[in-house]
Amino acid sequence: MSETKIAPTQAQESTVDAPTTGPASTTALATSRIRRVRSGSPLRSAKFVTGLALVLGITLFAVIAPMFAQDPTFTGNESMQPPSAEHWLGTTKLGNDMFSQLATGARGSLLVGVLAGGIAIVLSLIFGVLAGYLAGWREDALALITNVMIVIPGLPLVMVIASFVSNRSWQLVAVILGITSWAGAAYVLRLQARSLRSRDYVYAAKVAGEKSWRTILVELMPNLLPLLTAQFLFAIIFAILNEAGLSYLGLGPNSSITWGTILNDAQSGQALSRGAWWWFIPPGVMIAGLGAGLALINFSIDEVINPKLRNAPQAARSVRKAAKTKGASA
């Protein structure tokens, strides 16, 4: 009788203990997986944080520094002075304060990049996403224009256009750069939009009688947002670097100050032969820093779009570790 009483008690204890251990281990496993996913997020990687810090730092410098700096066109200072407490980055051949010129040039270069990138991404949406969603002759016509613009070399075309315009503002340079740099992004967006238009939810929206513009905005655009962001950042980098190159050749804005115009003035003023490093090194460092920051952010967004890029370093480390282990065992 005692055995029959003890057996149900043991069975009851086992039924009570089993659920408490099972869900606890499952919850812990799920929590650890969530933590691993969050910690491995590309937008929390060192590349993204470093790039964002560089871009934000240069942007804040461009916004705040001109408010406290000297007039960049003031020529009453002593010329070719090295950095000092009075002039943090020295002066130019004409006596301009280099810190003021660098701050004003940062604002000009950023405005050129953002405006040119905005124009390029709008044209990419028109000739890329719209062509990818539409079918028939409309897609062929838009694709033909895109292919023609891809074949035409952009930078030589910009140089020819700029050489025929005597009074070039930064707005004009930005518009020219934006018009000549959208074709590559449009081609990529057209292929992606063409792939998305065959999805079931797009067909469902068409069957439901949704208008084309609403289908594009609601169904296609959210899926293209990471790719659009990456293309926009690339367009900004392209515009800033091309503007600096054009200005260095004397074909950039001649009525405003950018980093490229500072480099052109340093080249014409023989800063390198005079040892005036403070005239050409700061704008070069700023261009390189902004380009590196935008590129790091772009790489992080690419890892969001393509998870294979995110797992590639870990896979390479695993291969190297396996090869090292195999070599040690041999």
Side-chain angles (χ1 to χ4, degrees), residues 250-284:
L251 298 174
N254 50 20
S255 59
S256 56
I257 300 174
T258 63
W259 290 330
T261 59
I262 296 175
L263 291 174
N264 177 259
D265 293 338
Q267 186 270 338
S268 60
Q270 299 178 351
L272 183 61
S273 61
R274 294 186 178 195
W277 57 267
W278 58 87
W279 199 353
F280 58 88
I281 288 183

Short mmCIF file of all heavy atoms in Angstrom, two decimals, residues 250-284:
data_model
loop_
_atom_site.label_atom_id
_atom_site.label_comp_id
_atom_site.label_asym_id
_atom_site.label_seq_id
_atom_site.Cartn_x
_atom_site.Cartn_y
_atom_site.Cartn_z
N GLY A 250 40.41 73.90 -62.19
CA GLY A 250 39.94 75.24 -62.52
C GLY A 250 38.60 75.27 -63.19
O GLY A 250 38.21 76.30 -63.77
N LEU A 251 37.83 74.15 -63.14
CA LEU A 251 36.53 74.07 -63.79
C LEU A 251 35.38 73.98 -62.78
O LEU A 251 34.25 73.70 -63.17
CB LEU A 251 36.48 72.86 -64.72
CG LEU A 251 37.48 72.87 -65.88
CD1 LEU A 251 37.42 71.55 -66.64
CD2 LEU A 251 37.23 74.04 -66.82
N GLY A 252 35.67 74.20 -61.51
CA GLY A 252 34.65 74.13 -60.48
C GLY A 252 33.98 75.47 -60.25
O GLY A 252 34.07 76.39 -61.09
N PRO A 253 33.30 75.63 -59.14
CA PRO A 253 32.64 76.91 -58.84
C PRO A 253 33.68 78.03 -58.71
O PRO A 253 34.70 77.87 -58.06
CB PRO A 253 31.95 76.65 -57.50
CG PRO A 253 31.90 75.17 -57.36
CD PRO A 253 33.06 74.62 -58.10
N ASN A 254 33.39 79.16 -59.35
CA ASN A 254 34.30 80.30 -59.24
C ASN A 254 33.68 81.46 -58.48
O ASN A 254 34.27 82.54 -58.40
CB ASN A 254 34.74 80.79 -60.63
CG ASN A 254 33.57 80.98 -61.58
OD1 ASN A 254 32.43 81.12 -61.15
ND2 ASN A 254 33.86 81.00 -62.87
N SER A 255 32.48 81.24 -57.91
CA SER A 255 31.85 82.29 -57.12
C SER A 255 31.57 81.83 -55.68
O SER A 255 30.84 82.50 -54.96
CB SER A 255 30.52 82.72 -57.77
OG SER A 255 29.63 81.62 -57.89
N SER A 256 32.13 80.70 -55.28
CA SER A 256 31.94 80.19 -53.92
C SER A 256 33.19 79.40 -53.53
O SER A 256 34.03 79.08 -54.38
CB SER A 256 30.69 79.31 -53.82
OG SER A 256 30.75 78.25 -54.75
N ILE A 257 33.28 79.06 -52.25
CA ILE A 257 34.44 78.36 -51.71
C ILE A 257 34.06 76.93 -51.40
O ILE A 257 33.06 76.67 -50.73
CB ILE A 257 34.97 79.06 -50.44
CG1 ILE A 257 35.38 80.50 -50.76
CG2 ILE A 257 36.16 78.31 -49.86
CD1 ILE A 257 35.79 81.29 -49.53
N THR A 258 34.84 76.00 -51.91
CA THR A 258 34.70 74.59 -51.57
C THR A 258 36.10 74.05 -51.27
O THR A 258 37.11 74.75 -51.45
CB THR A 258 34.07 73.79 -52.72
OG1 THR A 258 34.93 73.84 -53.87
CG2 THR A 258 32.70 74.36 -53.10
N TRP A 259 36.16 72.80 -50.85
CA TRP A 259 37.47 72.19 -50.62
C TRP A 259 38.26 72.11 -51.91
O TRP A 259 39.49 72.25 -51.91
CB TRP A 259 37.29 70.80 -50.02
CG TRP A 259 36.78 70.82 -48.62
CD1 TRP A 259 37.00 71.78 -47.69
CD2 TRP A 259 35.99 69.82 -47.98
NE1 TRP A 259 36.39 71.47 -46.50
CE2 TRP A 259 35.76 70.26 -46.66
CE3 TRP A 259 35.45 68.62 -48.39
CZ2 TRP A 259 35.01 69.52 -45.75
CZ3 TRP A 259 34.69 67.88 -47.49
CH2 TRP A 259 34.49 68.33 -46.17
N GLY A 260 37.59 71.90 -53.02
CA GLY A 260 38.28 71.82 -54.29
C GLY A 260 38.88 73.16 -54.71
O GLY A 260 40.01 73.21 -55.23
N THR A 261 38.14 74.25 -54.49
CA THR A 261 38.68 75.57 -54.84
C THR A 261 39.87 75.93 -53.95
O THR A 261 40.80 76.62 -54.39
CB THR A 261 37.60 76.64 -54.73
OG1 THR A 261 37.08 76.66 -53.38
CG2 THR A 261 36.45 76.35 -55.68
N ILE A 262 39.86 75.48 -52.69
CA ILE A 262 41.01 75.71 -51.81
C ILE A 262 42.24 74.99 -52.35
O ILE A 262 43.35 75.54 -52.37
CB ILE A 262 40.69 75.25 -50.37
CG1 ILE A 262 39.55 76.09 -49.78
CG2 ILE A 262 41.92 75.35 -49.49
CD1 ILE A 262 39.09 75.61 -48.42
N LEU A 263 42.07 73.76 -52.80
CA LEU A 263 43.19 73.02 -53.38
C LEU A 263 43.68 73.68 -54.67
O LEU A 263 44.89 73.70 -54.94
CB LEU A 263 42.77 71.57 -53.66
CG LEU A 263 42.51 70.69 -52.43
CD1 LEU A 263 41.98 69.33 -52.86
CD2 LEU A 263 43.79 70.52 -51.62
N ASN A 264 42.77 74.23 -55.46
CA ASN A 264 43.17 74.93 -56.68
C ASN A 264 43.98 76.19 -56.34
O ASN A 264 45.00 76.48 -56.99
CB ASN A 264 41.94 75.30 -57.50
CG ASN A 264 42.27 76.09 -58.74
OD1 ASN A 264 42.13 77.31 -58.78
ND2 ASN A 264 42.72 75.39 -59.77
N ASP A 265 43.53 76.93 -55.32
CA ASP A 265 44.29 78.11 -54.90
C ASP A 265 45.67 77.72 -54.36
O ASP A 265 46.66 78.42 -54.61
CB ASP A 265 43.51 78.87 -53.82
CG ASP A 265 42.23 79.49 -54.36
OD1 ASP A 265 42.14 79.69 -55.59
OD2 ASP A 265 41.31 79.76 -53.56
N ALA A 266 45.73 76.61 -53.63
CA ALA A 266 47.02 76.16 -53.10
C ALA A 266 47.96 75.75 -54.23
O ALA A 266 49.17 76.03 -54.18
CB ALA A 266 46.81 75.00 -52.14
N GLN A 267 47.40 75.12 -55.26
CA GLN A 267 48.23 74.71 -56.39
C GLN A 267 48.73 75.93 -57.17
O GLN A 267 49.91 76.01 -57.55
CB GLN A 267 47.44 73.77 -57.30
CG GLN A 267 48.22 73.14 -58.42
CD GLN A 267 48.20 73.97 -59.70
OE1 GLN A 267 47.28 74.79 -59.89
NE2 GLN A 267 49.18 73.78 -60.55
N SER A 268 47.86 76.90 -57.42
CA SER A 268 48.28 78.10 -58.15
C SER A 268 49.20 78.98 -57.31
O SER A 268 50.02 79.72 -57.86
CB SER A 268 47.04 78.91 -58.59
OG SER A 268 46.29 79.31 -57.45
N GLY A 269 49.08 78.92 -55.99
CA GLY A 269 49.95 79.69 -55.11
C GLY A 269 51.24 78.99 -54.74
O GLY A 269 51.98 79.50 -53.89
N GLN A 270 51.50 77.83 -55.37
CA GLN A 270 52.75 77.07 -55.15
C GLN A 270 52.95 76.76 -53.67
O GLN A 270 54.02 76.95 -53.11
CB GLN A 270 53.94 77.84 -55.71
CG GLN A 270 53.87 78.11 -57.19
CD GLN A 270 55.04 78.91 -57.71
OE1 GLN A 270 55.85 79.41 -56.92
NE2 GLN A 270 55.15 79.03 -59.02
N ALA A 271 51.88 76.26 -53.04
CA ALA A 271 51.96 75.95 -51.60
C ALA A 271 52.92 74.81 -51.33
O ALA A 271 53.62 74.81 -50.31
CB ALA A 271 50.56 75.60 -51.08
N LEU A 272 53.00 73.83 -52.23
CA LEU A 272 53.87 72.69 -52.00
C LEU A 272 55.35 73.10 -52.04
O LEU A 272 56.14 72.70 -51.18
CB LEU A 272 53.59 71.61 -53.05
CG LEU A 272 54.39 70.31 -52.91
CD1 LEU A 272 54.10 69.64 -51.57
CD2 LEU A 272 54.06 69.36 -54.06
N SER A 273 55.72 73.90 -53.01
CA SER A 273 57.12 74.33 -53.11
C SER A 273 57.50 75.29 -51.99
O SER A 273 58.67 75.36 -51.60
CB SER A 273 57.37 74.98 -54.48
OG SER A 273 56.54 76.13 -54.64
N ARG A 274 56.54 76.00 -51.46
CA ARG A 274 56.81 76.93 -50.37
C ARG A 274 56.75 76.26 -49.00
O ARG A 274 57.06 76.90 -48.00
CB ARG A 274 55.80 78.08 -50.40
CG ARG A 274 55.91 78.98 -51.62
CD ARG A 274 54.98 80.16 -51.48
NE ARG A 274 55.11 81.08 -52.62
CZ ARG A 274 54.63 82.32 -52.62
NH1 ARG A 274 54.01 82.78 -51.55
NH2 ARG A 274 54.79 83.08 -53.68
N GLY A 275 56.36 75.01 -48.96
CA GLY A 275 56.25 74.31 -47.69
C GLY A 275 55.06 74.69 -46.87
O GLY A 275 55.02 74.44 -45.66
N ALA A 276 54.05 75.30 -47.49
CA ALA A 276 52.84 75.72 -46.78
C ALA A 276 51.87 74.54 -46.70
O ALA A 276 50.82 74.50 -47.36
CB ALA A 276 52.20 76.91 -47.48
N TRP A 277 52.21 73.55 -45.87
CA TRP A 277 51.41 72.34 -45.78
C TRP A 277 50.01 72.61 -45.25
O TRP A 277 49.07 71.85 -45.53
CB TRP A 277 52.12 71.33 -44.86
CG TRP A 277 52.40 71.87 -43.49
CD1 TRP A 277 53.54 72.48 -43.07
CD2 TRP A 277 51.51 71.87 -42.37
NE1 TRP A 277 53.43 72.87 -41.76
CE2 TRP A 277 52.19 72.49 -41.30
CE3 TRP A 277 50.21 71.40 -42.17
CZ2 TRP A 277 51.61 72.67 -40.05
CZ3 TRP A 277 49.62 71.56 -40.92
CH2 TRP A 277 50.32 72.20 -39.87
N TRP A 278 49.86 73.68 -44.45
CA TRP A 278 48.55 73.98 -43.86
C TRP A 278 47.55 74.48 -44.90
O TRP A 278 46.38 74.62 -44.61
CB TRP A 278 48.73 75.06 -42.78
CG TRP A 278 49.35 76.33 -43.29
CD1 TRP A 278 48.71 77.40 -43.85
CD2 TRP A 278 50.75 76.65 -43.32
NE1 TRP A 278 49.60 78.37 -44.22
CE2 TRP A 278 50.87 77.95 -43.89
CE3 TRP A 278 51.90 76.00 -42.90
CZ2 TRP A 278 52.10 78.57 -44.08
CZ3 TRP A 278 53.12 76.63 -43.07
CH2 TRP A 278 53.22 77.90 -43.65
N TRP A 279 48.04 74.72 -46.12
CA TRP A 279 47.15 75.22 -47.16
C TRP A 279 46.49 74.09 -47.94
O TRP A 279 45.34 74.23 -48.39
CB TRP A 279 47.95 76.12 -48.11
CG TRP A 279 47.12 77.04 -48.95
CD1 TRP A 279 45.76 77.07 -49.06
CD2 TRP A 279 47.60 78.07 -49.81
NE1 TRP A 279 45.36 78.04 -49.93
CE2 TRP A 279 46.47 78.69 -50.40
CE3 TRP A 279 48.86 78.54 -50.13
CZ2 TRP A 279 46.58 79.74 -51.31
CZ3 TRP A 279 48.98 79.60 -51.03
CH2 TRP A 279 47.85 80.19 -51.61
N PHE A 280 47.15 72.96 -48.10
CA PHE A 280 46.59 71.89 -48.93
C PHE A 280 46.30 70.60 -48.16
O PHE A 280 45.47 69.80 -48.59
CB PHE A 280 47.51 71.57 -50.11
CG PHE A 280 48.91 71.17 -49.73
CD1 PHE A 280 49.22 69.85 -49.47
CD2 PHE A 280 49.92 72.11 -49.63
CE1 PHE A 280 50.50 69.46 -49.13
CE2 PHE A 280 51.21 71.74 -49.29
CZ PHE A 280 51.50 70.41 -49.03
N ILE A 281 46.97 70.36 -47.02
CA ILE A 281 46.71 69.12 -46.28
C ILE A 281 45.34 69.12 -45.59
O ILE A 281 44.60 68.13 -45.68
CB ILE A 281 47.85 68.86 -45.27
CG1 ILE A 281 49.11 68.43 -46.01
CG2 ILE A 281 47.45 67.79 -44.26
CD1 ILE A 281 50.28 68.09 -45.11
N PRO A 282 44.90 70.19 -44.89
CA PRO A 282 43.56 70.14 -44.24
C PRO A 282 42.40 69.86 -45.18
O PRO A 282 41.57 68.99 -44.87
CB PRO A 282 43.46 71.52 -43.57
CG PRO A 282 44.87 71.92 -43.31
CD PRO A 282 45.65 71.40 -44.48
N PRO A 283 42.29 70.55 -46.34
CA PRO A 283 41.16 70.18 -47.22
C PRO A 283 41.27 68.76 -47.76
O PRO A 283 40.25 68.08 -47.93
CB PRO A 283 41.23 71.22 -48.35
CG PRO A 283 42.60 71.76 -48.30
CD PRO A 283 43.02 71.70 -46.88
N GLY A 284 42.51 68.29 -48.02
CA GLY A 284 42.66 66.91 -48.47
C GLY A 284 42.23 65.91 -47.41
O GLY A 284 41.57 64.90 -47.71
#
